[in-house]
Amino acid sequence: MSAAPTIDPGTHEPPDYLQVQSSAEFDELRRAHRSFAFPLTLGFILWYLVYVLLSSYAGGFMATKVAGRVNVAFVLGLGQFVTTFLIAWWYSRHAAARLDPKAEAIKSRLEADKPRLEADA
Amino acid sequence: MMPPQQSYALQLAAGGAGEHRALIITLFAVFVAATLGITVWAGRQTKGAEDFYAGGRQFSGFQNGLAISGDYMSAASFLGIAGAIALFGYDGFLYSIGFLVAWLVALLLVAEPLRNSGRFTMGDVLAYRMRQRPVRTAAGTSTIVVSIFYLLAQMAGAGALVTLLLGITSEAGKILVVVLVGIVMILYVTIGGMKGTTWVQMVKAVLLIAGTLLITFLVALKFHFNLSGLLGAAAENSGKGAAFLQPGLKYGATATSKIDFISLGLALVLGTAGLPHILIRFYTVPTAKAARTSVNWAIGIIGVFYLMTIALGFGAAALLKPEAITAANKAGNTAAPQLAEVIGGGAGSTGGAVLLAVISAVAFATILAVVAGLTLASSSSFAHDIYVNVLRKGQATEKEEVGAARWATVGIGAVAIVLGVFARGLNVAGLVALAFAVAASANLPTLLYSLFWKRFTTRGALWSIYGGLASSVLLVLFSPVVSGKETSMFPGADFDFFPLENPGLISIPLGFLLGWLGSLLSKEEPDAKKYAELEVRSLTGTGAH
């Protein structure tokens, strides 16, 4: 009932995960995920905090009129919605192009070696 | 005499809205009957642990995205945000932005690796490469604490809502409503498991979106699809002028309230990806790719919903007198149903009565779907993490495990009913924000370290979970949320040493710091082999359940 893969130890050895982890192929996958997701996460959290700080401490700037009764505060607030939608779309495109094929390749190789794992999935 | 648009809310509070009440109750009874029918149908297909905890992992990305939205959009966001905008203008809108941006943390860092490496609970991932028993105990504890706080807020909210919408003011009536909500929620979860709960959440999400769309469309029609016109009318009618359209009316009062808002913002944006009832939803889809699709749908649906709360909130501000809103409820929680009545033709008109009843029934449906998700999360964690893996050391049959989960549902449901009854007179609005703060302080650091940091150890995990949990709960206990102010839970008492209402600013960095420090000060080496296994599985989906 633990989260570990339930491989039957009698008939199949578990994959050597240490070896997979240190392979160049996996290193590329990890880098493709981290170099995209980590800076982007930092970026949107900072952009959100800037917005929160402006709301708290830059009332005059936020009140500047842009069009009719719509002011900078609304433009930036709606901007948070737009950037959230865009980042979600951008990440999904990146994942489909750069992460999924690499992950799929490693997975199918490991599971082809270990039929029991696939049956368990 | 009051103008007609004001009269109904006051009539409601006085309990004199007979016909409307009958319509609301009928619509709500139809919802409960239909969802219980779905639950029984889902229950017939619920056999093993995978069905009960994860709905058989057969839902599509779109279905799960809809269910996530139904799980996430609580009555607090529907009624609370619309009311806050109606009373405080722009500042009411600030809340929803944090709630939405938070989903990116789940999308980029948590959803896919969690789906790939866990089975049923958050504890599966946290305990993966650690010593099982202590870490699962910690994960189970924090899951149950977060869910109970959240649950308590919803249960007490149900009692308050019924007073507002049905005009039931007697204490016995409120207790009855809390008990009924609790019983329906226990039925959903024990009979239908995750499959039933997921369908209830999907139905509720569709109803909520449809109801909100309708009101938004009618408001837009009234203001000729002119945002500037709507904002202008809201600013003038609110009596606050241009200040109504700028930040500051709610959070800008003092230096402390400004810092409090930063603390709240941090908790909102980092809390979502640590909420157990959200995390277990990722196990209901077959693959990590489907988990990604479901977060994308959730971001779209929740984003559009929050955009519509602008129309609801500013529409209410433009079309209702501020005194009419506060007379019905000080926090503005009935602004949305009141707006529905006015936009449908006003008090006494058939259109107004129907729209009011529809929106009120949707609000009840919202509460039921959210409490079911919370109960399922906490009973799953109790059964899977604590009963099976700690008490029984992993030696329970699947039948015993599902049985334990069902009994845990009854137990947690009973606790929620009792707490809900006792909390019905207290101001528990701060509890949802507290649940986010605890999730961000105790759960998120451990999740991220577990997935991405090689050197993380059991001690780091325990320090982070218990440190984040204890610091956030203690800080709230000694904050103005609990005592010292008129709006506190116990306004008579006075032990508010900590000035902020939200502990996130202190407790979230502390949770991260303790996880790092505990790992550095561990005597045991991190388990490199287990981490290799977790990392490979979480990124590739190898051997995923």
Side-chain angles (χ1 to χ4, degrees), chain B residues 399-479:
Chain B
K399 211 174 157 198
E400 286 175 318
E401 179 164 1
V402 175
R406 289 207 161 99
W407 281 111
T409 305
V410 176
I412 286 164
V415 169
I417 291 173
V418 171
L419 288 175
V421 166
F422 281 110
R424 73 188 189 284
L426 305 176
N427 184 344
V428 291
L431 286 182
V432 169
L434 171 63
F436 273 79
V438 178
S441 319
N443 299 348
L444 187 71
T446 320
L447 257 176
L448 294 183
Y449 284 138
S450 284
L451 290 168
F452 300 113
W453 190 34
K454 198 158 71 176
R455 303 208 41 201
F456 196 44
T457 66
T458 298
R459 178 178 284 181
L462 295 176
W463 282 22
S464 177
I465 296 177
Y466 287 126
L469 185 66
S471 62
S472 43
V473 172
L474 284 176
L475 286 176
V476 167
L477 190 63
F478 295 115
S479 80

Coordinates of all heavy atoms in Angstrom, one line a residue, chain B residues 399-479:
Chain B
K399 N -10.4 -3.9 0.9 CA -11.8 -3.8 1.4 C -11.7 -3.1 2.8 O -12.6 -2.2 3.0 CB -12.3 -5.2 1.6 CG -13.8 -5.3 1.4 CD -14.3 -6.7 1.4 CE -15.8 -6.7 1.8 NZ -16.3 -7.9 2.2
E400 N -10.8 -3.5 3.6 CA -10.6 -2.8 4.9 C -10.3 -1.3 4.7 O -10.9 -0.5 5.4 CB -9.5 -3.5 5.7 CG -9.8 -4.8 6.3 CD -8.6 -5.5 6.9 OE1 -7.5 -5.4 6.4 OE2 -8.8 -6.0 8.0
E401 N -9.5 -1.0 3.7 CA -9.1 0.4 3.5 C -10.3 1.2 3.1 O -10.6 2.3 3.6 CB -8.0 0.5 2.4 CG -7.6 1.9 2.2 CD -6.3 2.0 1.4 OE1 -5.7 1.0 1.1 OE2 -5.9 3.2 1.2
V402 N -11.1 0.7 2.1 CA -12.3 1.5 1.7 C -13.3 1.6 2.8 O -13.9 2.6 3.0 CB -12.9 0.9 0.4 CG1 -14.2 1.6 0.0 CG2 -11.9 0.9 -0.7
G403 N -13.4 0.5 3.6 CA -14.3 0.6 4.7 C -13.9 1.6 5.7 O -14.7 2.4 6.2
A404 N -12.6 1.7 6.0 CA -12.1 2.7 6.9 C -12.3 4.1 6.3 O -12.7 5.0 7.1 CB -10.6 2.5 7.1
A405 N -12.2 4.3 5.0 CA -12.4 5.6 4.4 C -13.9 6.0 4.6 O -14.2 7.2 4.9 CB -12.0 5.6 2.9
R406 N -14.8 5.0 4.4 CA -16.2 5.4 4.6 C -16.5 5.7 6.0 O -17.2 6.7 6.3 CB -17.1 4.2 4.1 CG -17.1 4.0 2.6 CD -18.4 3.3 2.2 NE -18.5 3.5 0.7 CZ -18.2 2.5 -0.2 NH1 -17.7 1.4 0.2 NH2 -18.4 2.8 -1.5
W407 N -16.0 5.0 7.0 CA -16.2 5.3 8.4 C -15.6 6.7 8.7 O -16.2 7.4 9.5 CB -15.7 4.2 9.3 CG -16.7 3.1 9.3 CD1 -16.5 1.8 8.8 CD2 -18.0 3.1 9.9 NE1 -17.6 1.1 9.0 CE2 -18.6 1.8 9.7 CE3 -18.8 4.1 10.5 CZ2 -19.9 1.5 10.1 CZ3 -20.1 3.7 10.9 CH2 -20.6 2.5 10.7
A408 N -14.4 6.9 8.2 CA -13.8 8.2 8.4 C -14.6 9.3 7.9 O -14.7 10.4 8.5 CB -12.4 8.3 7.8
T409 N -15.3 9.1 6.8 CA -16.2 10.2 6.2 C -17.3 10.5 7.2 O -17.6 11.6 7.5 CB -16.8 9.7 4.9 OG1 -15.8 9.3 4.0 CG2 -17.7 10.7 4.3
V410 N -17.9 9.4 7.7 CA -19.0 9.6 8.7 C -18.5 10.3 9.9 O -19.1 11.3 10.4 CB -19.6 8.2 9.1 CG1 -20.7 8.4 10.2 CG2 -20.2 7.5 7.9
G411 N -17.3 9.9 10.4 CA -16.7 10.6 11.6 C -16.4 12.1 11.3 O -16.7 12.9 12.1
I412 N -15.7 12.3 10.2 CA -15.3 13.7 9.9 C -16.6 14.6 9.7 O -16.7 15.7 10.1 CB -14.3 13.8 8.8 CG1 -13.0 13.3 9.3 CG2 -14.2 15.2 8.2 CD1 -12.0 12.9 8.2
G413 N -17.5 14.0 9.0 CA -18.8 14.7 8.7 C -19.5 15.0 10.0 O -20.0 16.1 10.2
A414 N -19.5 14.1 11.0 CA -20.1 14.3 12.3 C -19.4 15.5 13.0 O -20.0 16.4 13.6 CB -20.1 13.1 13.2
V415 N -18.0 15.4 13.0 CA -17.2 16.5 13.6 C -17.6 17.8 13.0 O -17.8 18.9 13.6 CB -15.7 16.2 13.5 CG1 -14.9 17.4 13.9 CG2 -15.3 15.0 14.3
A416 N -17.7 17.8 11.6 CA -18.0 19.1 10.9 C -19.4 19.6 11.3 O -19.5 20.8 11.5 CB -17.9 18.9 9.4
I417 N -20.3 18.7 11.5 CA -21.7 19.1 11.9 C -21.6 19.8 13.2 O -22.2 20.9 13.5 CB -22.7 17.9 11.8 CG1 -22.9 17.5 10.4 CG2 -24.0 18.3 12.5 CD1 -23.7 16.2 10.3
V418 N -21.0 19.1 14.2 CA -20.9 19.6 15.6 C -20.2 21.0 15.6 O -20.7 22.0 16.2 CB -20.2 18.6 16.5 CG1 -19.9 19.2 17.9 CG2 -21.0 17.3 16.6
L419 N -19.0 21.1 14.9 CA -18.3 22.3 14.9 C -19.1 23.4 14.2 O -19.2 24.6 14.6 CB -17.0 22.2 14.1 CG -15.9 21.4 14.9 CD1 -14.7 21.2 14.0 CD2 -15.5 22.1 16.2
G420 N -19.8 23.0 13.1 CA -20.6 24.0 12.4 C -21.8 24.5 13.2 O -22.1 25.7 13.2
V421 N -22.4 23.7 14.0 CA -23.4 24.1 14.9 C -22.9 25.1 16.0 O -23.5 26.2 16.2 CB -24.1 22.9 15.6 CG1 -25.0 23.3 16.8 CG2 -24.9 22.1 14.6
F422 N -21.7 24.7 16.5 CA -21.2 25.6 17.6 C -20.6 26.9 17.0 O -20.6 28.0 17.6 CB -20.1 25.0 18.4 CG -20.6 24.0 19.4 CD1 -20.5 22.7 19.3 CD2 -21.3 24.6 20.5 CE1 -21.0 21.8 20.2 CE2 -21.8 23.7 21.5 CZ -21.7 22.3 21.3
A423 N -20.2 26.9 15.7 CA -19.5 28.1 15.1 C -20.6 29.0 14.4 O -20.2 30.0 13.9 CB -18.5 27.6 14.1
R424 N -21.8 28.6 14.5 CA -22.8 29.3 13.6 C -22.9 30.8 14.0 O -23.3 31.6 13.2 CB -24.1 28.6 13.6 CG -24.9 28.7 14.8 CD -26.2 27.8 14.8 NE -27.0 28.1 15.9 CZ -26.8 27.7 17.2 NH1 -25.7 27.0 17.4 NH2 -27.6 28.0 18.2
G425 N -22.7 31.1 15.3 CA -22.8 32.5 15.7 C -21.5 33.2 15.5 O -21.4 34.5 15.7
L426 N -20.4 32.5 15.3 CA -19.1 33.2 15.2 C -18.8 33.7 13.8 O -19.3 33.2 12.8 CB -18.0 32.2 15.6 CG -18.2 31.5 16.9 CD1 -17.1 30.5 17.1 CD2 -18.2 32.5 18.1
N427 N -17.9 34.7 13.8 CA -17.5 35.2 12.5 C -16.3 34.4 12.0 O -15.2 34.5 12.5 CB -17.1 36.7 12.7 CG -16.7 37.3 11.3 OD1 -16.5 36.6 10.4 ND2 -16.7 38.6 11.3
V428 N -16.6 33.5 11.1 CA -15.5 32.6 10.6 C -15.0 32.9 9.3 O -14.3 32.1 8.7 CB -16.1 31.1 10.7 CG1 -16.3 30.7 12.1 CG2 -17.3 31.0 9.9
A429 N -15.3 34.1 8.8 CA -14.9 34.4 7.4 C -13.3 34.3 7.2 O -12.9 34.0 6.2 CB -15.3 35.9 7.1
G430 N -12.6 34.5 8.3 CA -11.1 34.5 8.2 C -10.6 33.1 8.0 O -9.4 32.9 7.7
L431 N -11.5 32.1 8.3 CA -11.0 30.7 8.3 C -10.5 30.2 6.9 O -9.6 29.4 6.8 CB -12.0 29.7 8.9 CG -12.2 29.8 10.4 CD1 -13.2 28.8 10.8 CD2 -10.9 29.6 11.1
V432 N -11.2 30.6 5.9 CA -10.8 30.2 4.5 C -9.4 30.7 4.2 O -8.5 30.0 3.7 CB -11.8 30.6 3.5 CG1 -11.2 30.3 2.1 CG2 -13.1 29.8 3.6
A433 N -9.2 32.0 4.5 CA -7.8 32.6 4.3 C -6.8 31.8 5.1 O -5.7 31.6 4.7 CB -7.8 34.1 4.6
L434 N -7.2 31.4 6.3 CA -6.3 30.7 7.2 C -6.0 29.3 6.6 O -4.8 28.9 6.6 CB -6.9 30.5 8.6 CG -6.2 29.5 9.5 CD1 -4.8 30.1 9.8 CD2 -6.9 29.3 10.8
A435 N -7.0 28.7 6.0 CA -6.7 27.4 5.4 C -5.7 27.5 4.3 O -4.8 26.7 4.1 CB -8.0 26.8 4.8
F436 N -5.8 28.6 3.5 CA -4.8 28.9 2.4 C -3.4 29.1 3.1 O -2.4 28.6 2.5 CB -5.2 30.1 1.6 CG -6.1 29.8 0.5 CD1 -7.5 29.5 0.7 CD2 -5.6 29.6 -0.8 CE1 -8.3 29.2 -0.3 CE2 -6.5 29.3 -1.9 CZ -7.8 29.1 -1.6
A437 N -3.4 29.8 4.2 CA -2.1 30.1 4.8 C -1.4 28.8 5.3 O -0.2 28.6 5.1 CB -2.2 31.1 5.9
V438 N -2.2 28.0 6.0 CA -1.7 26.7 6.5 C -1.2 25.9 5.3 O -0.1 25.3 5.3 CB -2.7 25.9 7.3 CG1 -2.1 24.6 7.8 CG2 -3.2 26.7 8.5
A439 N -2.0 25.8 4.2 CA -1.6 25.0 3.1 C -0.3 25.5 2.5 O 0.6 24.7 2.1 CB -2.7 25.0 2.0
A440 N -0.1 26.8 2.4 CA 1.1 27.4 1.8 C 2.3 27.2 2.7 O 3.4 27.1 2.3 CB 0.9 28.9 1.5
S441 N 2.1 27.2 4.1 CA 3.2 27.1 5.0 C 3.6 25.7 5.3 O 4.8 25.4 5.5 CB 2.8 27.8 6.3 OG 2.1 29.0 6.1
A442 N 2.6 24.8 5.4 CA 2.9 23.4 5.8 C 3.1 22.5 4.7 O 3.9 21.6 4.7 CB 1.9 22.9 6.8
N443 N 2.2 22.6 3.6 CA 2.2 21.6 2.5 C 3.0 22.0 1.4 O 3.8 21.1 0.8 CB 0.7 21.4 2.1 CG -0.2 20.9 3.2 OD1 0.3 20.5 4.2 ND2 -1.5 20.9 2.9
L444 N 3.0 23.2 0.9 CA 3.7 23.6 -0.3 C 5.2 23.4 -0.2 O 5.8 22.8 -1.1 CB 3.3 25.0 -0.8 CG 3.9 25.3 -2.2 CD1 3.2 24.5 -3.3 CD2 3.9 26.8 -2.5
P445 N 5.8 23.9 0.9 CA 7.3 23.8 1.0 C 7.7 22.3 0.9 O 8.6 21.9 0.1 CB 7.7 24.3 2.3 CG 6.5 25.2 2.7 CD 5.3 24.7 2.0
T446 N 7.0 21.4 1.6 CA 7.4 20.0 1.7 C 7.2 19.4 0.3 O 8.0 18.6 -0.2 CB 6.5 19.3 2.7 OG1 6.4 20.1 3.8 CG2 7.2 18.0 3.1
L447 N 6.1 19.7 -0.4 CA 5.8 19.2 -1.7 C 6.9 19.6 -2.7 O 7.5 18.7 -3.4 CB 4.5 19.8 -2.3 CG 3.3 18.9 -2.3 CD1 2.1 19.8 -2.8 CD2 3.4 17.7 -3.1
L448 N 7.3 20.9 -2.7 CA 8.3 21.3 -3.6 C 9.7 20.8 -3.3 O 10.4 20.3 -4.2 CB 8.4 22.9 -3.7 CG 7.1 23.6 -4.2 CD1 7.3 25.1 -4.2 CD2 6.7 23.1 -5.6
Y449 N 10.0 20.7 -2.0 CA 11.3 20.1 -1.7 C 11.4 18.7 -2.0 O 12.3 18.2 -2.6 CB 11.6 20.3 -0.2 CG 12.0 21.6 0.3 CD1 11.5 22.2 1.5 CD2 13.0 22.4 -0.4 CE1 11.9 23.4 2.0 CE2 13.4 23.6 0.1 CZ 12.8 24.1 1.3 OH 13.2 25.4 1.8
S450 N 10.3 18.0 -1.8 CA 10.2 16.5 -2.0 C 10.5 16.3 -3.5 O 11.2 15.3 -3.9 CB 8.9 15.9 -1.7 OG 8.7 15.8 -0.3
L451 N 9.8 17.1 -4.4 CA 9.9 16.8 -5.8 C 11.2 17.3 -6.4 O 11.7 16.7 -7.4 CB 8.7 17.5 -6.5 CG 7.3 16.9 -6.2 CD1 6.2 17.8 -6.7 CD2 7.2 15.5 -6.9
F452 N 11.7 18.4 -5.9 CA 12.8 19.0 -6.6 C 14.2 19.2 -5.9 O 15.1 19.6 -6.5 CB 12.4 20.5 -7.1 CG 11.2 20.4 -8.0 CD1 10.0 21.0 -7.5 CD2 11.3 19.9 -9.2 CE1 8.9 21.0 -8.4 CE2 10.1 19.9 -10.1 CZ 8.9 20.4 -9.6
W453 N 14.2 18.8 -4.6 CA 15.5 19.0 -3.9 C 16.1 17.7 -3.4 O 15.5 17.0 -2.6 CB 15.3 19.9 -2.7 CG 16.5 20.4 -2.1 CD1 17.7 20.6 -2.7 CD2 16.8 20.7 -0.7 NE1 18.7 21.0 -1.8 CE2 18.1 21.1 -0.6 CE3 16.0 20.6 0.5 CZ2 18.7 21.4 0.7 CZ3 16.5 20.9 1.7 CH2 17.9 21.3 1.8
K454 N 17.2 17.4 -4.0 CA 17.9 16.1 -3.7 C 18.2 15.9 -2.2 O 18.1 14.7 -1.7 CB 19.2 16.1 -4.5 CG 19.8 14.8 -4.7 CD 20.8 14.8 -5.9 CE 22.1 15.7 -5.6 NZ 23.0 15.6 -6.7
R455 N 18.5 16.9 -1.5 CA 19.0 16.7 -0.1 C 18.0 16.8 0.9 O 18.3 16.8 2.1 CB 20.1 17.8 0.1 CG 21.2 17.7 -0.9 CD 22.5 18.2 -0.3 NE 22.7 17.8 1.1 CZ 23.5 18.4 2.0 NH1 24.2 19.4 1.6 NH2 23.7 17.9 3.2
F456 N 16.7 16.8 0.5 CA 15.6 16.9 1.5 C 15.5 15.6 2.3 O 15.7 14.5 1.7 CB 14.3 17.1 0.7 CG 13.2 17.6 1.6 CD1 13.3 18.6 2.5 CD2 11.9 17.1 1.4 CE1 12.2 19.1 3.2 CE2 10.8 17.5 2.1 CZ 11.0 18.5 3.0
T457 N 15.3 15.7 3.6 CA 15.2 14.5 4.5 C 13.9 14.4 5.3 O 13.1 15.4 5.3 CB 16.4 14.5 5.5 OG1 16.2 15.6 6.4 CG2 17.7 14.6 4.8
T458 N 13.8 13.3 6.0 CA 12.6 13.1 6.8 C 12.5 14.3 7.8 O 11.4 14.8 8.1 CB 12.7 11.8 7.5 OG1 12.7 10.8 6.5 CG2 11.5 11.6 8.5
R459 N 13.6 14.6 8.5 CA 13.6 15.6 9.5 C 13.1 17.0 8.8 O 12.3 17.7 9.4 CB 14.9 15.8 10.1 CG 14.9 16.9 11.2 CD 16.2 17.1 11.9 NE 16.4 16.0 12.9 CZ 17.5 15.9 13.7 NH1 18.4 16.8 13.6 NH2 17.5 15.0 14.6
G460 N 13.7 17.3 7.6 CA 13.3 18.5 7.0 C 11.8 18.5 6.7 O 11.1 19.5 6.9
A461 N 11.2 17.4 6.3 CA 9.8 17.3 6.0 C 9.0 17.5 7.3 O 8.0 18.3 7.3 CB 9.5 15.9 5.4
L462 N 9.4 16.9 8.4 CA 8.6 17.0 9.6 C 8.7 18.4 10.1 O 7.7 19.0 10.6 CB 9.2 16.0 10.7 CG 9.0 14.5 10.3 CD1 9.6 13.6 11.3 CD2 7.5 14.2 10.2
W463 N 9.9 19.0 10.1 CA 10.0 20.4 10.6 C 9.2 21.4 9.8 O 8.5 22.3 10.3 CB 11.5 20.9 10.6 CG 12.3 20.3 11.7 CD1 12.1 19.2 12.4 CD2 13.6 20.8 12.1 NE1 13.1 19.0 13.3 CE2 14.0 20.0 13.2 CE3 14.4 21.9 11.8 CZ2 15.2 20.2 13.9 CZ3 15.6 22.2 12.5 CH2 16.0 21.3 13.5
S464 N 9.2 21.1 8.5 CA 8.5 22.0 7.6 C 7.0 21.9 7.8 O 6.3 22.9 8.0 CB 8.9 21.7 6.2 OG 8.1 22.5 5.3
I465 N 6.5 20.7 7.9 CA 5.0 20.5 8.0 C 4.6 21.0 9.4 O 3.7 21.8 9.5 CB 4.6 19.0 7.8 CG1 4.9 18.5 6.4 CG2 3.1 18.8 8.1 CD1 4.6 17.1 6.1
Y466 N 5.2 20.5 10.5 CA 4.7 20.8 11.8 C 5.0 22.3 12.1 O 4.3 23.0 12.8 CB 5.3 19.9 12.8 CG 4.7 18.5 12.8 CD1 5.5 17.4 12.7 CD2 3.4 18.3 12.9 CE1 5.0 16.1 12.7 CE2 2.8 17.1 12.9 CZ 3.6 16.0 12.8 OH 3.1 14.7 12.8
G467 N 6.2 22.8 11.6 CA 6.6 24.2 11.9 C 5.6 25.1 11.2 O 5.1 26.1 11.7
G468 N 5.3 24.8 9.9 CA 4.4 25.7 9.1 C 3.0 25.6 9.7 O 2.3 26.7 9.8
L469 N 2.6 24.4 10.1 CA 1.3 24.2 10.7 C 1.1 25.0 12.0 O 0.2 25.8 12.2 CB 1.0 22.7 10.9 CG -0.3 22.3 11.3 CD1 -1.4 22.6 10.2 CD2 -0.3 20.8 11.6
A470 N 2.1 24.7 12.9 CA 2.0 25.3 14.2 C 2.1 26.8 14.2 O 1.3 27.6 14.8 CB 3.1 24.7 15.2
S471 N 3.0 27.4 13.4 CA 3.2 28.8 13.3 C 2.0 29.5 12.8 O 1.5 30.5 13.3 CB 4.5 29.2 12.6 OG 4.4 28.8 11.2
S472 N 1.4 28.9 11.7 CA 0.3 29.6 11.1 C -1.0 29.6 12.0 O -1.7 30.5 12.2 CB -0.1 29.1 9.7 OG 0.0 27.7 9.6
V473 N -1.2 28.4 12.7 CA -2.4 28.3 13.6 C -2.2 29.1 14.8 O -3.1 29.9 15.2 CB -2.6 26.8 13.9 CG1 -3.7 26.7 15.0 CG2 -3.0 26.0 12.7
L474 N -1.0 29.1 15.4 CA -0.7 29.9 16.6 C -0.9 31.4 16.3 O -1.5 32.2 17.1 CB 0.6 29.6 17.2 CG 0.7 28.3 18.0 CD1 2.1 28.0 18.4 CD2 -0.3 28.3 19.2
L475 N -0.3 31.9 15.2 CA -0.3 33.3 14.9 C -1.8 33.7 14.7 O -2.2 34.8 15.1 CB 0.5 33.6 13.6 CG 2.0 33.6 13.8 CD1 2.7 33.8 12.5 CD2 2.4 34.6 14.8
V476 N -2.6 32.9 14.1 CA -4.0 33.3 13.9 C -4.7 33.3 15.3 O -5.6 34.2 15.5 CB -4.7 32.3 12.9 CG1 -6.2 32.5 13.0 CG2 -4.3 32.6 11.5
L477 N -4.4 32.3 16.1 CA -5.0 32.2 17.4 C -4.8 33.6 18.2 O -5.7 34.0 18.9 CB -4.4 31.1 18.2 CG -5.1 30.7 19.5 CD1 -6.5 30.2 19.3 CD2 -4.3 29.6 20.2
F478 N -3.6 34.1 18.0 CA -3.3 35.4 18.7 C -3.5 36.6 17.9 O -2.9 37.7 18.1 CB -1.9 35.3 19.3 CG -1.7 34.3 20.3 CD1 -0.9 33.2 20.1 CD2 -2.4 34.4 21.5 CE1 -0.8 32.2 21.1 CE2 -2.3 33.4 22.5 CZ -1.5 32.3 22.3
S479 N -4.3 36.5 16.8 CA -4.5 37.6 15.9 C -5.9 38.2 16.1 O -6.7 37.7 16.8 CB -4.4 37.1 14.5 OG -5.6 36.5 14.1

